[in-house]
Amino acid sequence: MSEFNEFDQQGSVPSRETGAIISHAFEMYKGVILYAVVAMIIYVIADSILQSITGFHSWNMVGEMKDSDGDLSNFKYYHAPGLSLYYSFSSILGALLSPLYIGLIFIFNKYNTKTAIEISDLFIGYRQNFVNILIYSLITHVILRIALAMCGIPFFFVFPFFLLGYPILLFENANATDALGKAYNMAKDNYGTFLGVSFLGLILSFCGFFACCIGILVTGTFIAAVMYSTYCAFSGKPRQITYNK
């Protein structure tokens, strides 16, 4: 059974302001950018395999959108071959890969506290609290997918309630329901700030998509840094933990 040891060590903590949190997240992210890229490469490979199995090809759809010269009035993305089958399994794939976000958050904390980082740290979510991470991820994927299907706008208003779930699962070793409840309550009590950092974090995460799409490998996991920095701001410096192999 896995165990954690706790000890005190210095680490920066941002103030509870949107700008300070995003700035802190940026500092954490650029410090471990290579690990973030590795995480995104793993996700892209896994997603490509799923697309090849289902027959859905997102790049073909992007190409069609570009060829439309901005006129998307007749573009019916929901008619794309294999789309329904792809979306049926993409939430499961997302949940199975969600421990990578836990690993990145763990790495951000090690970087923040100037602790040596190992590539195996990226996979700590598969060794510690995996079942609860999986349950939490499945629940949030379903809720956020529903919000996204409602013209997309509700997604941005719902997402803040799940912003701290992953850090709570890691640093507090919480179960899925406790993580959902605590993340919701913290966002509810500080909704303006949570909405601001969530919106900016998501926009910055997806901005790489517009840089010839390949940029998403660099920016795609920035939201994980926002999760960590927001947790630091509202819960204090996370405990420094080491995994006993």
Side-chain angles (χ1 to χ4, degrees):
M1 182 176 179
S2 58
E3 297 179 355
F4 279 88
N5 289 329
E6 181 177 352
F7 56 90
D8 293 328
Q9 192 160 346
Q10 295 299 315
S12 60
V13 175
S15 62
R16 297 183 177 185
E17 299 175 352
T18 300
I21 293 172
I22 294 297
S23 178
H24 186 269
F26 180 74
E27 291 300 318
M28 296 298 103
Y29 196 74
K30 72 178 184 179
V32 297
I33 186 66
L34 292 180
Y35 295 96
V37 171
V38 169
M40 273 306 300
I41 289 175
I42 294 173
Y43 180 85
V44 169
I45 292 174
D47 187 69
S48 298
I49 293 173
L50 178 62
Q51 290 192 35
S52 66
I53 294 174
T54 59
F56 170 70
H57 300 288
S58 59
W59 298 117
N60 291 344
M61 188 170 67
V62 171
E64 292 176 10
M65 292 174 67
K66 290 182 177 180
D67 293 339
S68 66
D69 294 325
D71 182 14
L72 301 179
S73 58
N74 296 320
F75 182 73
K76 296 180 175 58
Y77 71 92
Y78 44 83
H79 287 161
L83 179 66
S84 58
L85 185 61
Y86 169 77
Y87 275 117
S88 297
F89 289 97
S90 62
S91 291
I92 297 176
L93 177 64
L96 290 173
L97 294 177
S98 62
L100 293 176
Y101 279 89
I102 297 289
L104 279 176
I105 293 169
F106 181 56
I107 288 173
F108 293 140
N109 194 48
K110 294 188 77 172
Y111 175 78
N112 190 22
T113 55
K114 297 178 176 58
T115 305
I117 300 172
E118 301 177 1
I119 188 63
S120 60
D121 294 333
L122 187 59
F123 306 100
I124 191 174
Y126 292 101
R127 305 191 298 265
Q128 172 68 25
N129 211 15
F130 174 71
V131 173
N132 283 301
I133 294 170
L134 186 63
I135 294 172
Y136 175 88
S137 299
L138 285 171
I139 294 173
T140 55
H141 271 85
V142 170
I143 295 174
L144 292 175
R145 182 64 59 81
I146 293 173
L148 192 61
M150 299 170 64
C151 301
I153 296 177
F155 174 87
F156 291 97
F157 294 97
V158 173
F159 185 83
F161 293 109
F162 302 103
L163 187 65
L164 294 190
Y166 287 151
I168 292 171
L169 287 166
L170 172 62
F171 297 119
E172 302 177 22
N173 206 29
N175 60 45
T177 55
D178 287 344
L180 284 166
K182 185 170 183 178
Y184 173 83
N185 288 328
M186 293 183 70
K188 180 186 65 174
D189 294 338
N190 306 276
Y191 186 71
T193 301
F194 274 60
L195 179 62
V197 297
S198 295
F199 180 78
L200 290 175
L202 289 169
I203 293 299
L204 291 171
S205 293
F206 285 104
C207 70
F209 182 79
F210 300 101
C212 300
C213 296
I214 195 67
I216 197 69
L217 294 177
V218 178
T219 67
T221 53
F222 179 72
I223 191 64
V226 175
M227 293 176 181
Y228 172 72
S229 295
T230 306
Y231 184 87
C232 287
F234 287 90
S235 294
K237 183 188 68 175
R239 60 175 184 165
Q240 176 58 37
I241 50 181
T242 56
Y243 185 82
N244 290 334
K245 299 179 180 180

